[in-house]
Amino acid sequence: MTASPERRRTIRAGITLLAAAALYEAVAQSGLFPAVLVPTLPKVGRTLIALLSDGTLLWHAFYTLVRVMLGFVLAILVGVPLGILMARLRSVENFVMPLASALMPIPSLAWVPVFILWFGLGDTVTILIVFYAALFPTLLNTWTGVRTVNPLWLRAAGAMGAGEGALFWKVIIPGASPFIITGLRQAFLRSWIAVVGAEMLAASDWGLGWVIFDAKEFLNADVMMASLAVIGGIGYAFERLVFGSLERVTVLRWGMVRAAIEHRRPAARPLPSRA
Amino acid sequence: MLDVNAIGAETKPPTRTEYSEPRWRVITRAAFPFVVAAAIWEALAHAEIFPAQLFPPVEAVVAAFVRLTLAGTLAHHTLDTILRLSGGFVLAAVAGVAVGIAMGRWRMAEDALLPLVSIAAPIPGLAYAPLFLLWFGLGNVSAVLLVGFVSAFPIIFNTWTGVKAVKEIWIRSAQAMGADNQRLFRHVILPGSLPYIFTGLRLGLAQAWRILVGVEMLAAVPWGLGWLIFGAREFLNTDVMLAGIVVIAIIGVALEKLVFRRIEDFTVVRWGMVT
């Protein structure tokens, strides 16, 4: 084979995507299924462009992003300090851990109806659901990260006369950062799932989840697919661009690369869950 | 409290609590946070800051739980949820492991499927829900298919990684010892990739569980815990909703603790793949 593996892969990926698109198009054109339910690709494309250019889809995306960000930041503000406290103080760990392990397996969406009753329809519910979804990955990964900071580094820093503040900011935080960032990454993926569900159920009148659900009422499958594309695009962009660069400026710069790679190595390291 | 020796002690493996402590103390320590949380809840509920209808005291939730259990409805809801979960998960496990192995073994399959999988995976599962409801109608078919579709992705990714991560040298030595393709697969590749496959199944099950509750609320199925919670909102039955959430938490913990730990102990650990 003369082509480089990289090129071969790109070419084959292109062929697959074209084939999948052609197959879908054939099904859509064949008239086996009602055209409203299976819109042709040009129609989806036109809808996507129309919704993007008149700004509605951008506003929906904006509302969704604001909600995700608020809930996510709230989760970081609570989860990271609490995780550090849990790792440092046995009493906090003993108190929080049982509660966390009982609450963790409850899917965040199960709280939606309860929160709707307590806080009414709208933004509060959505933000709190995102907070709930993002809290546990942040909390548990911070806790693990701080606990597994190499004790040798701590002793070395102590021997070189590092004060408490220095020990914390210069050793513990950078040392735990690969785990914390992994936690944030997982937390964001979960928030992204939760926000779509919460917007469907606790509908206010803006948001990508709401658009998709609302489009169902009017059998607008083209609108649904267009918003699916936007949701996927934003999720992908965050995963790649935001967290990728975050990892670069923190973990790699602090010389945690080897540690980061090492913790990527072990046999059954779970890949970040996505859906 | 930031003294170096204490940190060294803190970073020992997490089994440190189980050393010589009597059992009752461990149990008491785990129960204590729940007692405190329940007491705070009880105080808030009786202070009547919120209407009792929306914020029922603990005994009302327990009463609702007992009432629903005796009437048999809770068992019916739970059974339907579990059936749906197993249906979707089995679908995802069979399809996901098969696709993952194909992708790991044949470069053709990898090049063809990877682009499709990586495009579909980052979209939150619930975003597909309205589309599935349009295509397959309200009810069980949509719910099971959606749960299966969504939880297949972590299984595919992990199986694929696992098959590719089987050590080259094991494969070569098996071949040198005259193993044919079938034996190579059954005795080398399958056991070698199992830790990853189990991680994938575990993530897939967690994913299925998170999605299912939301799906049950959207798909208007007649029975199921998600529906129980969502339906109770209409009648302001907060006690029923909270009882439902308790059951959801119990099932979630049981899935993690009982199902997967067991399977892992019986296979992977026994074959010496992980310690």
Side-chain angles (χ1 to χ4, degrees), chain A residues 8 16 88 147 154 274-275, chain B residues 2 7 11 111-112 123-124 207:
Chain A
R8 174 185 59 87
T16 318
R88 311 281 311 174
R147 267 189 341 156
L154 296 172
R274 322 153 156 244
Chain B
L2 262 165
I7 296 163
T11 38
D111 287 335
I123 300 177
Q207 193 81 265

Side-chain angles (χ1 to χ4, degrees), chain A residues 8 12 16 37 87-88 90 94-95 105 109 113-114 116-118 147 154-155 200 212 219 224 267 274-275, chain B residues 2 4 7 10-11 16 29 33 54 111-112 123-126 130-131 134-135 196 207 209 233 236 241:
Chain A
R8 174 185 59 87
R12 286 209 184 158
T16 318
L37 298 188
R88 311 281 311 174
R90 180 77 72 81
N94 283 340
F95 191 83
L109 287 175
V114 184
I116 291 178
L117 277 190
W118 285 348
R147 267 189 341 156
L154 296 172
R155 263 184 248 144
M200 287 183 183
I212 294 190
L219 291 180
M224 289 162 60
R274 322 153 156 244
Chain B
L2 262 165
V4 177
I7 296 163
E10 280 289 313
T11 38
R16 62 196 136 96
R29 182 141 37 72
L54 297 186
D111 287 335
I123 300 177
L126 274 180
L131 206 58
L134 269 190
W135 285 348
Y196 283 87
Q207 193 81 265
W209 180 236
R233 191 185 62 121
L236 292 180
M241 294 161 77

Side-chain angles (χ1 to χ4, degrees), chain B residues 222-241:
Chain B
W223 293 92
L225 291 169
W227 175 245
L228 170 76
I229 301 177
F230 200 63
R233 191 185 62 121
E234 307 283 310
F235 308 102
L236 292 180
N237 282 335
T238 318
D239 48 351
V240 174
M241 294 161 77

Side-chain angles (χ1 to χ4, degrees), chain B residues 3-22:
Chain B
D3 103 281
V4 177
N5 292 322
I7 296 163
E10 280 289 313
T11 38
K12 271 183 194 160
T15 45
R16 62 196 136 96
T17 44
E18 278 92 43
Y19 276 119
S20 56
E21 248 176 334

Side-chain angles (χ1 to χ4, degrees), chain A residues 37-155:
Chain A
L37 298 188
V38 189
T40 58
L41 287 176
K43 192 159 176 251
V44 176
R46 270 199 302 277
T47 313
L48 181 61
I49 291 168
L51 287 176
L52 282 177
S53 54
D54 76 354
T56 36
L57 212 48
L58 295 179
W59 271 113
H60 286 302
F62 173 75
Y63 271 85
T64 304
L65 277 176
V66 169
R67 287 179 193 133
V68 170
M69 281 305 142
L70 284 175
F72 188 57
V73 168
L74 214 61
I76 295 175
L77 289 181
V78 175
V80 172
L82 193 60
I84 294 174
L85 274 180
M86 275 167 70
R88 311 281 311 174
L89 300 176
R90 180 77 72 81
S91 54
V92 178
E93 183 185 322
N94 283 340
F95 191 83
V96 177
M97 209 43 209
L99 287 178
S101 35
L103 288 178
M104 203 168 29
I106 304 177
S108 48
L109 287 175
W111 291 104
V112 173
V114 184
F115 284 5
I116 291 178
L117 277 190
W118 285 348
F119 307 106
L121 290 170
D123 288 340
T124 322
V125 177
T126 334
I127 293 168
L128 281 175
I129 294 297
V130 171
F131 167 72
Y132 189 89
L135 179 64
F136 294 107
T138 315
L139 181 73
L140 291 185
N141 278 287
T142 308
W143 174 61
T144 318
V146 174
R147 267 189 341 156
T148 49
V149 170
N150 192 339
L152 208 65
W153 299 345
L154 296 172
R155 263 184 248 144

Side-chain angles (χ1 to χ4, degrees), chain B:
Chain B
M1 85 246 179
L2 262 165
D3 103 281
V4 177
N5 292 322
I7 296 163
E10 280 289 313
T11 38
K12 271 183 194 160
T15 45
R16 62 196 136 96
T17 44
E18 278 92 43
Y19 276 119
S20 56
E21 248 176 334
R23 215 181 153 72
W24 64 268
R25 274 194 61 182
V26 178
I27 294 173
T28 323
R29 182 141 37 72
F32 175 68
F34 293 100
V35 175
V36 175
I40 294 174
W41 180 285
E42 197 69 4
L44 277 177
H46 283 292
E48 312 241 324
I49 308 168
F50 311 103
Q53 196 75 48
L54 297 186
F55 204 93
V58 177
E59 65 265 19
V61 178
V62 174
F65 186 86
V66 172
R67 196 178 69 233
L68 289 173
T69 312
L70 289 181
T73 40
L74 201 55
H76 192 163
H77 284 299
T78 312
L79 185 71
D80 270 36
T81 297
I82 290 179
L83 282 181
R84 234 168 259 138
L85 180 74
S86 356
F89 179 66
V90 167
L91 221 60
V94 172
V97 171
V99 170
I101 288 178
M103 281 169 63
R105 294 287 288 158
W106 295 295
R107 215 158 58 178
M108 266 308 260
E110 181 179 345
D111 287 335
L113 291 171
L114 195 59
L116 293 179
V117 174
S118 5
I119 286 176
I123 300 177
L126 274 180
Y128 294 109
L131 206 58
F132 273 65
L133 292 180
L134 269 190
W135 285 348
F136 305 107
L138 291 169
N140 273 325
V141 181
S142 295
V144 171
L145 281 181
L146 185 63
V147 169
F149 179 73
V150 167
S151 50
F153 290 111
I155 303 177
I156 293 177
F157 273 117
N158 279 283
T159 308
W160 170 59
T161 318
V163 172
K164 297 205 88 172
V166 173
K167 277 187 192 131
E168 195 60 37
I169 202 160
W170 294 351
I171 297 179
R172 269 196 241 135
S173 46
Q175 276 168 339
M177 288 186 274
D180 52 11
N181 261 338
Q182 208 183 343
R183 286 193 157 200
L184 187 69
F185 180 75
R186 272 207 48 202
H187 295 287
V188 181
I189 292 173
L190 197 60
S193 53
L194 263 188
Y196 283 87
I197 297 182
F198 275 120
T199 310
L201 290 176
R202 199 176 203 159
L203 286 174
L205 186 61
Q207 193 81 265
W209 180 236
R210 275 201 295 274
I211 294 294
L212 179 61
V213 175
V215 171
E216 284 185 341
M217 294 181 189
L218 293 167
V221 289
W223 293 92
L225 291 169
W227 175 245
L228 170 76
I229 301 177
F230 200 63
R233 191 185 62 121
E234 307 283 310
F235 308 102
L236 292 180
N237 282 335
T238 318
D239 48 351
V240 174
M241 294 161 77
L242 292 172
I245 287 182
V246 171
V247 179
I248 287 179
I250 294 173
I251 297 178
V253 173
L255 283 179
E256 178 63 22
K257 292 267 151 84
L258 300 180
V259 181
F260 270 102
R261 289 280 145 87
R262 286 279 158 81
I263 300 177
E264 234 168 36
D265 286 347
F266 270 110
T267 53
V268 191
V269 177
R270 226 171 78 189
W271 292 339
M273 296 303 306
V274 285
T275 41

